[in-house]
Amino acid sequence: MATDQKPTLTAEPPEQEQQNDEKRQPPAPRVTRRFFLSSLGAAGLAATAPPLLAATAVSAPAVAEQAESAAAAGAVPVTLKVNGKSYTLRLDPRTTLLDCLRENLNMPGTKKGCDHGQCGACTVHVNGQRVNSCLSFAVMHSADEITTIEGIGQPGNLHFMQAAFVEHDAYQCGYCTSGQIMSAMAVMSEPVGPTDDDVKQAMYGNICRCGAYPNIIAAVQAGRSHKSA
């Protein structure tokens, strides 16, 4: 006697079903530390860069205007006598003599080196004495006689000390040379001994980063000999 039998469906074991599901699903992207930091950095730049740039572009001119207005409001009158000529100016009282010479009076021969009084590149004479002009305010010298390298000699009419520096090749890059010459001029009127060591000690405050010291000493000695001749 025949009997109707329905085919039985065999369920897969739970473990097998889970494995099949994992095979069908696409693999999840791997999140690494580098990926996370890169995404975070990119998001931060995207979020912050435009506002910062816009703020800088808008505020920079305003800050510059305010600074100029404040400086103009606090400016004081001062008359300086430089290389025998008088100049009447209005300056911020914080303006150094060095910056005044270079920026206001257009005398760039006096160099800005360290701006801390340690290299001697800014040496000028005030009432016959050598000073570091970067350490002195311009308003302090309204009654003084100031001499810069421009007042010593000109290319067509060199002072003998300038000529000695040229003759003895006492410079290389030339940046410190004006300060060296101004100190050398002062040495001629200071109580400095006759030897090279005496001159070396007297010129101690002037640095030559190119290392032309032997030639500088020779030039100073030649200038001193010319004066005493």
Side-chain angles (χ1 to χ4, degrees):
M1 180 175 173
T3 59
D4 295 332
Q5 294 182 353
K6 294 182 180 180
T8 58
L9 298 176
T10 58
E12 293 180 353
E15 295 179 358
Q16 184 66 30
E17 185 177 355
Q18 184 177 358
Q19 291 177 0
N20 292 337
D21 290 340
E22 289 177 356
K23 291 179 180 179
R24 287 192 295 269
Q25 293 177 359
R30 183 185 176 189
V31 179
T32 63
R33 181 175 180 272
R34 177 177 296 179
F35 176 82
F36 175 75
L37 292 177
S38 300
S39 302
L40 184 63
L45 286 175
T48 60
L52 283 177
L53 291 175
T56 302
V58 172
S59 63
V63 171
E65 265 183 48
Q66 290 174 3
E68 288 179 6
S69 299
V76 296
V78 58
T79 299
L80 298 177
K81 189 172 183 180
V82 184
N83 301 327
K85 183 177 178 181
S86 293
Y87 299 87
T88 301
L89 307 165
R90 289 189 64 84
L91 299 174
D92 185 312
R94 297 166 296 180
T95 304
T96 65
L97 179 57
L98 170 61
D99 287 336
C100 177
L101 292 172
R102 291 178 59 84
E103 306 298 334
N104 298 92
L105 298 182
N106 194 28
M107 297 182 184
T110 304
K111 304 301 182 185
K112 177 177 284 196
C114 66
D115 216 21
H116 288 79
Q118 297 177 351
C119 73
C122 68
T123 303
V124 299
H125 292 180
V126 176
N127 298 329
Q129 304 294 316
R130 51 176 163 165
V131 301
N132 291 323
S133 58
C134 73
L135 297 182
S136 185
F137 293 119
V139 295
M140 298 166 56
H141 300 289
S142 59
D144 295 332
E145 294 276 350
I146 301 167
T147 305
T148 71
I149 190 68
E150 288 89 351
I152 299 298
Q154 299 297 325
N157 184 28
L158 294 179
H159 185 276
F160 62 80
M161 184 61 79
Q162 292 174 309
F165 267 69
V166 174
E167 180 183 354
H168 291 272
D169 196 21
Y171 54 88
Q172 289 187 31
C173 76
Y175 195 84
C176 73
T177 305
S178 59
Q180 299 278 3
I181 291 174
M182 296 305 291
S183 285
M185 294 281 295
V187 165
M188 291 191 298
S189 59
E190 293 174 357
V192 177
T195 69
D196 288 355
D197 285 340
D198 294 328
V199 172
K200 181 179 179 180
Q201 185 64 32
M203 297 287 290
Y204 186 78
N206 290 80
I207 295 175
C208 174
R209 291 179 173 85
C210 299
Y213 295 112
N215 297 28
I216 291 172
I217 293 172
V220 177
Q221 291 288 52
R224 297 176 79 194
S225 298
H226 183 280
K227 182 183 178 182
S228 60

